[in-house]
Amino acid sequence: MVERVRERLDSLDEIGTLPQVMARILAIVDDDSSTALDLASEIEHDQALTTRILRTVNSSYYGFQRQIMTVPEAVVILGFNEVERLALAISVINTLGMDRENVVTLARLWKHSLATSMAGSQIETMRGHDPGGVEGAHVAGLLHCLGIVLIAQAVPEAATPIHDYMRDHECGLIEAERVVLDGISHPEIGARVAEKWGLPEPLVNAIKFYAEPSQCPQPTPLVYATHIAHHLANKAKLGVTGIHDPFEPEAAAVEAIKLDAELEAEVLRYLERNRSIMSAVSSAAMF
């Protein structure tokens, strides 16, 4: 099992490069002068992406009384971040491939990633004015569990031992991965893929150190924000494993992001209001 994981790590070139549409969407998001219509125009260059987005926004989860016919209309109604999140999720899943044998696990994973992204967006809204900023937390939240997908695809037989170890030892996912997979865990794998894709270093570090920001040589606000967003997604019972992950945020992250009762309550309310939307988006990204 361990040998298969290491072989997969040694052949990450098979993952391919960052999809062009995803790269362009990230560039639009990173450009302060970009508008919602810029995002819509970019998405419309990809017919499959356009079709899946429109199918999602017209699903029963959203409950609109009339049909939304165009991406610009979807962006206006749903908002920039919502459509961006859906487009990025579909692009990532298409790139990595969809393993039908692990559909339940991956559905839970993407719902957790969406929850972390939404928590990150709320942190950006409520703490984005602070010096140093936390811009990009919603993107980091969406991508922070990339490595879990790779483990699920490379060594699906590891899922049961990892799950059993977590249950028997009442520990978190990363600890169980390191025991079962001889020191390997999903944050390192995800960061390696993100680096290969040419994603910005702050985003790569957020993926690599989201669970353990104290291990980051120079932790940034984005690393801390992703750490807190992951914690709040778990607290909302939108964890990645289906087992309670005994995870408490590091004190340095709490201080850096100023995680107080008001911020936590606002994020948890936001996640609760959007549970059905997470289901819609994760389903659309996968099927």
Side-chain angles (χ1 to χ4, degrees):
M1 182 186 304
V2 173
E3 289 74 14
R4 287 190 61 190
V5 176
R6 294 195 180 280
E7 287 174 6
R8 180 67 174 182
L9 281 173
D10 291 337
S11 60
L12 281 178
D13 286 342
E14 298 175 6
I15 299 300
T17 58
L18 184 68
Q20 288 188 357
V21 65
M22 183 177 170
R24 290 194 295 264
I25 289 171
L26 287 171
I28 289 171
V29 172
D30 196 45
D31 185 351
D32 293 337
S33 66
S34 295
T35 67
L37 291 181
D38 292 328
L39 175 63
S41 176
E42 187 54 57
I43 290 172
E44 287 185 314
H45 286 134
D46 189 306
Q47 185 176 359
L49 186 58
T50 296
T51 299
R52 295 173 82 172
I53 287 176
L54 292 178
R55 185 178 66 196
T56 303
V57 300
N58 285 300
S59 70
S60 59
Y61 289 103
Y62 283 91
F64 293 122
Q65 296 299 312
R66 63 180 179 82
Q67 190 170 28
I68 297 172
M69 302 297 294
T70 67
V71 174
E73 187 180 5
V75 173
V76 169
I77 293 174
L78 296 178
F80 189 98
N81 284 347
E82 186 75 23
V83 175
E84 173 210 344
R85 187 179 291 114
L86 176 57
L88 290 177
I90 291 173
S91 298
V92 170
I93 294 173
N94 282 347
T95 300
L96 297 179
M98 185 61 223
D99 186 349
R100 300 296 174 181
E101 294 183 3
N102 290 295
V103 65
V104 174
T105 298
L106 293 177
R108 185 184 296 124
L109 162 66
W110 289 114
K111 188 176 288 188
H112 166 75
S113 297
L114 288 162
T116 305
S117 175
M118 289 182 172
S121 71
Q122 288 300 100
I123 292 172
E124 288 182 77
T125 298
M126 299 183 71
R127 296 290 185 263
H129 60 279
D130 292 342
V134 291
E135 290 80 9
H138 66 292
V139 177
L142 182 64
L143 301 177
H144 77 292
C145 284
L146 278 177
I148 299 177
V149 180
L150 297 176
I151 291 174
Q153 293 178 337
V155 278
E157 66 271 26
T160 297
I162 289 171
H163 186 280
D164 290 346
Y165 191 92
M166 288 182 66
R167 181 197 61 215
D168 296 342
H169 294 81
E170 298 183 349
C171 69
L173 175 62
I174 291 175
E175 179 181 339
E177 288 174 343
R178 286 174 176 161
V179 170
V180 174
L181 302 176
D182 192 29
I184 300 172
S185 64
H186 71 267
E188 292 90 350
I189 296 173
R192 181 166 172 175
V193 172
E195 188 173 26
K196 179 183 182 298
W197 281 350
L199 297 182
E201 184 179 359
L203 187 53
V204 173
N205 283 336
I207 294 169
K208 187 173 184 178
F209 298 107
Y210 82 85
E212 301 169 310
S214 61
Q215 299 303 306
C216 183
Q218 293 182 312
T220 62
L222 181 58
V223 170
Y224 286 135
T226 309
H227 179 73
I228 295 297
H230 170 76
H231 161 69
L232 293 174
N234 280 351
K235 193 160 188 175
K237 301 188 186 305
L238 290 161
V240 71
T241 62
I243 300 176
H244 175 62
D245 201 342
F247 174 95
E248 291 296 331
E250 292 185 3
V254 172
E255 181 178 355
I257 301 304
K258 299 181 177 62
L259 178 63
D260 54 19
E262 179 185 4
L263 175 59
E264 180 172 311
E266 178 58 33
V267 172
L268 292 178
R269 282 194 297 267
Y270 182 73
L271 294 179
E272 185 60 36
R273 288 196 304 268
N274 285 279
R275 280 180 180 270
S276 63
I277 302 303
M278 293 177 215
S279 296
V281 174
S282 59
S283 295
M286 291 173 60
F287 299 108

